[in-house]
Amino acid sequence: MRWFVAPLSLRFKLVFASVIVELIMLSLLVANSVRLIESSLLDLAKVRFREVDLLLNAALAGPLVQRDYATLQEILDGSRSADGYLYLALFDDTGRMTVVSGWDRDQPLPAVESDMAVIGDSTRDRFDGSMPIEIGGRRYGTLRYGVSTQFLSRAKSHLLNQSLLIAGFEIVLSLGMLTLLGIWLTRHLAELTRASNQLAAGNIDVHLPVRSRDEVGQLTHTFNTMAQVIRTRIEELSRNEAKFHAIADYTFNWETWYGPDHRLVWVNPSVERMTGYSVAECLAMDDFPFSMVLDADRSAAVRDYCIGIHGSTGTAQFRVRQKNGAVFWAQAGWQPIYDQQQQYLGIRSSIRDITERMNAELALQHNISELKNSEEQQKRLLALSQQEQARMTSLLAAMKLGILFENADSRVAYYNPAFLHTWMIDESIDLSGQPTREVLKFSPNVLARPDHFSRNILQVPGTHDISEQFEIVMADGCVVTQLCYPVRDAEGRFLGRLWIYEDVTRERQTAEQLIYLAERDSLTGLFNRRRFQDELARALESMTRRKTHGALLFFDLDEFKYINDTYGHRAGDAMLIRVASEVGALTRHTELLSRLGGDEFAVLLPDAQQKEAEMLAERIIRSVAQIPFRFEGRNLRLTTSVGIALYPQHATEQEELIAHADAAMYQAKEAGKNAWRVYRHDLDTSREMVERLSWNNRIAQALDKELLRLHYQGVYDAHSAQLVHVEVLVRMLDEELSDALIMPGRFIAIAEKTGQILEIDRWVIRNSIAMLAQRGEFPSVPISVNISGRSFDDPSLPQYISEQLKHYGVTPDQLVVELTETAAISDLHDAQRFIESLQRAGCKVCLDDFGAGFSSFTYLKHLKADILKIDGLFIRDLPNDHDNQIFVKAIVDVARGLHKRTVAEFVEDASTLEMLQTFGVDMVQGYHLNMPSANPPPMNFRLATRG
């Protein structure tokens, strides 16, 4: 229970204190009186007992000597009384009880009390004693007795009651007199108290009359003076507060005041203009303003604030997130503030927006950082080059494996420098003769799991067999393998062990990187087409087993080719990265976002309903449309078209679901772009669309039933007319009309959409290399094969080409790989990696359709191709198109300056060939020279016919 005590008045405190003091004094006085009287009564009792003892000795001695027991009994009975002796027992000189009065003979007597002080004990009502019976100094017996002490208790009680009655009367009299005195002394203080309460309530005009010259009068005069001072100060504070608000509220900067307890006291209205949060919202924040600071800058801002808390001035720069989510750079100045008496009042901070300045500084720092990074990279490359040279020199005399040999006594007999290097042991330390288990105490390496690895390093548990390879992981990420071999002499006697250590950190990192590259798009970091198809297959299998729904979204960027051709690959790459980032933020962890190639993306939504897919498609469209992208001083904005295919409503097979999602995307484009559409079968009625959906199965059957065929077209030297190499072209047999050939224009685009182009590319490569190995009537010249841009997502394809060349025994210089320029530009990073891999394998690379992009010349320094094939758009009708003539001549001149050879395709007539020869084109190809055929082309184009 909680007690609420009202404030006690001064009058009450005065009376109460006086009563308490008087009670204490009276209590002490009564207690002392009782103690003195009790002591006196005790002394009187002792004197009385001694006198009675003498009388009893005189009365009992004679009869006891004469053994007059009747007389003795009469004397004892006559001596007993209620307030005197309670019992008497007489013993003769032999200790035998002779006479007893007031006690049962069969009961033992109480113990004799030697100290008479117990008579004054209020808890006792009897004193047990004994006395000798003597005559002339000779003892004839002993008298045992019990004396009542109740007369002392009654005397003490009577005295205490009288004392308490007197004290109570005195207290009541004092209480009345003190109350009257208190009222008279404090009569003016009540009025002063009421005036003080009015002043505290805000009535600053209160004034009291001074009625006396005593202390109360002086207190009243002082109160009036204090009230006047308070009125003056409040009026002055009101004027100062008006001036303060006039300055602080309209200051451009965001001003803040923190009290000595580090809590927010005041913030000016500019905070709402700068952050969007009102003053009330700011005051309600627990961690203002750090709750608005970005996580990356928060620790530094708090540190600078703590410096200000300890009385130091300073500045800080950090980023602030506004209420609407926008971010701006802020600069805060911290300064301690004091009043006129130099009393610490807290911290004042002034914060202003420095976003423009920071953007300029960051841009400058970025440029400086790039220069420094370039310089450091050159230094690192130089240092690495020198280190590699030193390693190569040392490897001529020693192995790179760390080796340690221990004898049969488990002591070090030999170790090589590589062992010291592996374990970072100082070369000045001599390990010879050291116990093997104590060797690593000289190593500064820290194990990632000491409790696990320490039990296995340099230890073979009770066996002389070869140990299994054991990996040791260091705290810094290094991985070292350990292998132990027993060493025996010719007779099989155990001589010791050979420990071998190898640092495999780089191999592990390379393996992890290869796994990453095989599944990721190198530009955006998203999953590539291969990983997407694997995940889609697993998702369809899971949804089929659990009988749930799902959705697949396809989208690409409207007019992306215009951006890429107009502003170059850097703008296109930056736009793709930004789109991947924005859309990635919209997808959940259970959804899979992939880049299929170029500007095409897909989102897989397992276990999703149609409404969820539509909502995500709407968010993607809004997000892409709102991306503020600025490049080279121009604002660029893109839109996207999204297609939705639902599982199992629209398809249950992987290829069919992909085809329907792609068809829905084109339905969205036909609806005006910047829109999304769920696949509708009734809108997909054109023959081309129907054929496109059926091509997945036809292509798969063509691969399974070997319905693909190779055709050849010659590429000739423009001046000597000799066959330089042969381009391999793929055709498909019509399954229903076995004599009819299906041209690649009808199925290649579909295969690229569905990913089947990867299998077609490998089929063409494998069969072309096999044809080179057989040769037969085929000319002894290299062949060129076309690779789709989708194959850039397959980092294992260069390795596959190398394996096929080795398998069939064909030299790599007999194979030319043609890559489409537009595909290479849209996947520039993958194309660079792909070309470098092919060239390392020994193959030549031809860049097909060169000139189709407006920034083709810019890409030449990135795409290290050996041959440039000029796009046929510039060759057709070349003699009659002056602009194309200038462009072709420029391509030839640039290629010659870069030491690259050129090929002109679509040579349809003699006049075109003659002009190309004049321009200096190295090689030509076209129907005028040779028609594609299943037979090998002639060695000289003059022998060619157009039949």
Side-chain angles (χ1 to χ4, degrees):
M1 181 176 180
R2 183 178 176 183
W3 295 91
F4 292 91
V5 181
L8 301 179
S9 65
L10 178 62
R11 181 184 304 161
F12 176 82
K13 293 178 181 178
L14 180 62
V15 173
F16 182 76
S18 300
V19 172
I20 292 297
V21 171
E22 189 169 357
L23 280 174
I24 294 173
M25 296 303 296
L26 289 174
S27 299
L28 294 175
L29 181 60
V30 171
N32 188 55
S33 299
V34 172
R35 182 182 63 79
L36 292 176
I37 295 173
E38 182 181 357
S39 178
S40 299
L41 291 174
L42 182 60
D43 291 340
L44 290 174
K46 291 178 180 178
V47 172
R48 177 187 174 189
F49 289 157
R50 282 193 294 269
E51 292 176 350
V52 173
D53 287 347
L54 293 176
L55 293 175
L56 287 175
N57 183 68
L60 296 175
L64 179 61
V65 172
Q66 298 174 3
R67 300 186 182 277
D68 186 0
Y69 296 120
T71 304
L72 290 174
Q73 183 69 49
E74 184 179 355
I75 294 171
L76 293 182
D77 291 338
S79 300
R80 287 180 54 243
S81 66
D83 292 330
Y85 290 101
L86 300 176
Y87 71 89
L88 293 167
L90 181 63
F91 295 83
D92 60 13
D93 54 354
T94 63
R96 181 175 64 84
M97 181 184 294
T98 58
V99 181
V100 62
S101 177
W103 195 266
D104 188 359
R105 285 178 175 272
D106 297 331
Q107 297 295 326
L109 292 173
V112 176
E113 295 171 323
S114 59
D115 188 3
M116 295 189 69
V118 300
I119 297 175
D121 189 352
S122 61
T123 62
R124 306 173 61 88
D125 56 2
R126 187 183 67 196
F127 172 74
D128 298 302
S130 68
M131 59 174 288
I133 305 299
E134 299 175 343
I135 298 176
R138 180 180 176 182
R139 184 170 182 171
Y140 290 97
T142 302
L143 179 65
R144 296 281 299 276
Y145 59 85
V147 182
S148 173
T149 61
Q150 291 183 357
F151 69 96
L152 290 175
S153 298
R154 288 194 296 271
K156 287 168 53 178
S157 176
H158 179 69
L159 177 61
L160 181 60
N161 291 335
Q162 287 183 344
S163 299
L164 291 176
L165 181 60
I166 295 171
F169 176 76
E170 183 178 357
I171 289 172
V172 172
L173 183 60
S174 300
L175 182 61
M177 294 179 64
L178 288 172
T179 301
L180 295 176
L181 181 60
I183 294 173
W184 183 79
L185 290 176
T186 60
R187 64 188 186 280
H188 297 304
L189 292 178
E191 184 178 1
L192 186 60
T193 300
R194 288 192 297 272
S196 300
N197 292 333
Q198 294 179 9
L199 183 62
N203 183 11
I204 61 176
D205 295 328
V206 65
H207 181 80
L208 293 176
V210 180
R211 295 188 175 90
S212 64
R213 295 185 179 181
D214 56 5
E215 288 81 356
V216 177
Q218 294 177 6
L219 182 61
T220 304
H221 176 72
T222 303
F223 173 81
N224 292 334
T225 304
M226 180 186 67
Q228 180 60 36
V229 172
I230 291 175
R231 284 194 295 273
T232 305
R233 291 294 179 89
I234 290 177
E235 292 173 356
E236 184 178 354
L237 285 174
S238 299
R239 291 192 296 268
N240 291 338
E241 184 178 5
K243 294 178 183 178
F244 169 77
H245 283 290
I247 296 174
D249 291 354
Y250 296 97
T251 301
F252 184 77
N253 292 345
W254 157 13
E255 304 288 340
T256 311
W257 176 14
Y258 298 92
D261 57 352
H262 312 153
R263 298 182 66 86
L264 180 64
V265 176
W266 169 85
V267 62
N268 71 339
S270 295
V271 70
E272 185 169 4
R273 172 178 53 80
M274 297 178 65
T275 67
Y277 292 97
S278 65
V279 173
E281 290 175 323
C282 295
L283 292 172
M285 293 182 184
D286 293 332
D287 194 18
F288 178 85
F290 305 112
S291 57
M292 295 187 288
V293 178
L294 294 190
D295 294 341
D297 302 340
R298 187 173 300 164
S299 59
V302 172
R303 182 181 63 248
D304 293 330
Y305 168 72
C306 292
I307 294 174
I309 289 176
H310 294 88
S312 301
T313 60
T315 59
Q317 293 179 354
F318 46 81
R319 287 165 292 179
V320 176
R321 187 180 301 279
Q322 296 175 338
K323 189 174 184 179
N324 60 5
V327 177
F328 71 92
W329 273 99
Q331 183 181 53
W334 310 96
Q335 180 181 13
I337 54 177
Y338 304 88
D339 61 11
Q340 295 179 351
Q341 288 74 36
Q342 294 302 307
Q343 295 293 324
Y344 180 66
L345 299 179
I347 300 172
R348 169 188 174 272
S349 70
S350 181
I351 303 176
R352 60 192 181 94
D353 189 339
I354 58 167
T355 303
E356 293 184 0
R357 192 192 77 187
M358 289 301 299
N359 289 339
E361 291 180 0
L362 290 174
L364 179 60
Q365 291 175 1
H366 178 71
N367 294 334
I368 295 175
S369 176
E370 286 187 347
L371 293 175
K372 289 182 178 179
N373 291 338
S374 177
E375 182 180 359
E376 291 176 358
Q377 185 176 6
Q378 292 179 357
K379 291 180 179 179
R380 286 196 300 270
L381 292 175
L382 178 61
L384 290 174
S385 176
Q386 294 173 346
Q387 292 174 6
E388 288 296 331
Q389 184 177 2
R391 290 194 187 99
M392 290 299 296
T393 303
S394 61
L395 285 176
L396 295 176
M399 298 176 62
K400 68 177 182 179
L401 300 177
I403 296 177
L404 182 142
F405 175 72
E406 67 172 352
N407 56 26
D409 297 331
S410 297
R411 291 186 175 273
V412 178
Y414 169 78
Y415 58 92
N416 68 345
F419 177 82
L420 299 178
H421 176 74
T422 299
W423 290 102
M424 300 175 65
I425 300 175
D426 193 342
E427 295 180 357
S428 63
I429 299 176
D430 186 10
L431 301 180
S432 300
Q434 294 280 352
T436 306
R437 295 188 177 184
E438 297 181 6
V439 166
L440 296 184
K441 72 180 182 180
F442 301 105
S443 172
N445 280 343
V446 179
L447 302 179
R449 294 172 54 196
D451 57 336
H452 172 70
F453 295 124
S454 59
R455 296 196 301 268
N456 297 277
I457 300 177
L458 292 171
Q459 298 184 40
V460 177
T463 177
H464 295 326
D465 297 332
I466 300 176
S467 67
E468 296 182 356
Q469 190 175 49
F470 179 70
E471 287 192 357
I472 305 166
V473 182
M474 307 299 179
D476 59 358
C478 293
V479 180
V480 177
T481 60
Q482 171 184 280
L483 193 62
C484 177
Y485 291 91
V487 180
R488 297 181 174 87
D489 60 12
E491 297 179 359
R493 289 176 296 190
F494 180 72
L495 299 179
R497 293 188 182 90
L498 184 67
W499 297 89
I500 301 177
Y501 294 90
E502 182 179 7
D503 188 343
V504 295
T505 305
R506 179 172 296 181
E507 288 79 356
R508 296 293 184 271
Q509 293 174 346
T510 301
E512 293 175 359
Q513 185 177 10
L514 288 175
I515 294 174
Y516 181 86
L517 292 175
E519 296 182 343
R520 296 282 180 170
D521 172 51
S522 60
L523 177 64
T524 63
L526 301 176
F527 287 128
N528 57 19
R529 178 182 287 272
R530 167 177 289 187
R531 178 62 184 273
F532 166 75
Q533 290 178 334
D534 293 342
E535 293 295 330
L536 178 58
R538 280 193 288 269
L540 292 179
E541 180 182 356
S542 175
M543 289 186 292
T544 302
R545 183 176 63 256
R546 293 182 291 110
K547 297 182 179 180
T548 58
H549 297 76
L552 178 63
L553 274 64
F554 261 43
F555 68 94
D556 64 6
L557 303 179
D558 303 328
E559 308 301 337
F560 178 74
K561 187 176 184 301
Y562 172 78
I563 297 293
N564 224 9
D565 292 343
T566 304
Y567 298 98
H569 75 277
R570 287 198 307 117
D573 288 353
M575 181 67 77
L576 291 174
I577 294 172
R578 185 65 181 274
V579 169
S581 174
E582 294 292 336
V583 178
L586 301 177
T587 57
R588 295 175 292 189
H589 69 279
T590 57
E591 300 166 353
L592 179 68
L593 172 63
S594 305
R595 182 190 177 206
L596 305 181
D599 63 328
E600 293 184 354
F601 297 85
V603 183
L604 174 61
L605 286 77
D607 304 325
Q609 299 293 336
Q610 178 176 345
K611 187 64 176 179
E612 298 176 63
E614 292 175 353
M615 292 173 62
L616 178 58
E618 181 65 28
R619 290 198 301 270
I620 291 173
I621 290 173
R622 288 201 309 267
S623 177
V624 172
Q626 293 174 1
I627 294 178
F629 190 77
R630 187 172 180 82
F631 189 81
E632 295 182 354
R634 295 189 178 184
N635 293 324
L636 306 178
R637 291 192 180 274
L638 288 181
T639 58
T640 184
S641 300
V642 183
I644 304 173
L646 303 175
Y647 172 89
Q649 294 94 315
H650 297 151
T652 57
E653 299 295 330
Q654 176 177 338
E655 293 80 5
E656 188 178 2
L657 188 65
I658 292 175
H660 285 171
D662 184 58
M665 181 180 70
Y666 281 99
Q667 291 173 5
K669 289 184 179 294
E670 292 173 1
K673 302 181 180 179
N674 195 29
W676 58 268
R677 290 292 184 271
V678 179
Y679 172 74
R680 289 179 56 182
H681 181 73
D682 57 329
L683 297 180
D684 198 9
T685 56
S686 65
R687 178 173 179 176
E688 293 181 359
M689 190 64 70
V690 173
E691 289 184 359
R692 186 154 64 91
L693 293 177
S694 65
W695 270 112
N696 297 325
N697 186 49
R698 296 183 67 180
I699 294 172
Q701 290 181 356
L703 290 167
D704 293 337
K705 298 179 180 180
E706 293 293 330
L707 298 180
L708 297 180
R709 296 291 182 268
L710 295 181
H711 279 216
Y712 312 96
Q713 186 176 27
V715 178
Y716 298 90
D717 187 280
H719 303 284
S720 66
Q722 295 296 316
L723 182 67
V724 179
H725 65 264
V726 176
E727 181 178 3
V728 177
L729 306 171
V730 66
R731 304 288 188 266
M732 181 188 294
L733 288 178
D734 194 323
E735 192 173 10
E736 298 177 358
L737 303 174
S738 57
D739 295 334
L741 287 177
I742 302 174
M743 302 305 288
R746 297 185 59 189
F747 62 89
I748 289 297
I750 306 299
E752 288 182 339
K753 293 286 186 183
T754 61
Q756 292 172 308
I757 191 64
L758 301 177
E759 297 181 57
I760 295 176
D761 285 345
R762 293 199 175 210
W763 184 92
V764 172
I765 292 170
R766 182 174 63 254
N767 285 273
S768 298
I769 295 176
M771 184 272 299
L772 283 175
Q774 298 172 359
R775 286 291 182 180
E777 297 180 357
F778 201 89
S780 299
V781 295
I783 64 171
S784 65
V785 295
N786 289 278
I787 298 297
S788 168
R790 297 299 186 204
S791 294
F792 297 161
D793 295 332
D794 186 5
S796 64
L797 186 58
Q799 180 65 26
Y800 176 81
I801 294 175
S802 298
E803 292 173 355
Q804 293 299 316
L805 291 171
K806 291 179 182 179
H807 176 72
Y808 289 103
V810 177
T811 57
D813 60 356
Q814 292 296 299
L815 183 65
V816 179
V817 179
E818 291 191 17
L819 308 175
T820 304
E821 183 216 16
T822 53
I825 290 174
S826 62
D827 292 289
L828 185 63
H829 297 285
D830 289 341
Q832 287 177 293
R833 174 179 52 79
F834 196 85
I835 291 173
E836 291 172 359
S837 300
L838 291 174
Q839 291 176 335
R840 282 197 300 269
C843 302
K844 293 183 179 180
V845 178
C846 174
L847 197 59
D848 196 8
D849 298 333
F850 184 79
F854 294 138
S855 302
S856 299
F857 292 136
T858 304
Y859 302 134
L860 285 180
K861 63 180 181 180
H862 299 291
L863 302 174
K864 307 299 182 181
D866 304 293
I867 303 171
L868 303 181
K869 180 178 285 189
I870 304 172
D871 188 20
L873 291 174
F874 303 106
I875 306 302
R876 287 194 179 116
D877 200 26
L878 182 64
N880 302 319
D881 194 329
H882 180 69
D883 294 337
N884 285 348
Q885 295 174 16
I886 296 175
F887 199 86
V888 172
K889 184 68 168 59
I891 293 176
V892 174
D893 293 339
V894 171
R896 187 181 294 112
L898 295 176
H899 306 289
K900 302 180 187 296
R901 304 191 70 191
T902 53
V903 178
E905 59 181 354
F906 290 98
V907 179
E908 303 286 341
D909 49 58
S911 59
T912 300
L913 173 62
E914 192 172 318
M915 182 169 288
L916 291 172
Q917 292 172 334
T918 303
F919 289 165
V921 172
D922 299 306
M923 293 168 282
V924 290
Q925 176 186 10
Y927 287 175
H928 178 65
L929 314 173
N930 169 235
M931 295 283 290
S933 171
N935 300 316
M939 295 297 298
N940 189 298
F941 66 74
R942 290 190 179 88
L943 302 177
T945 64
R946 293 177 60 87

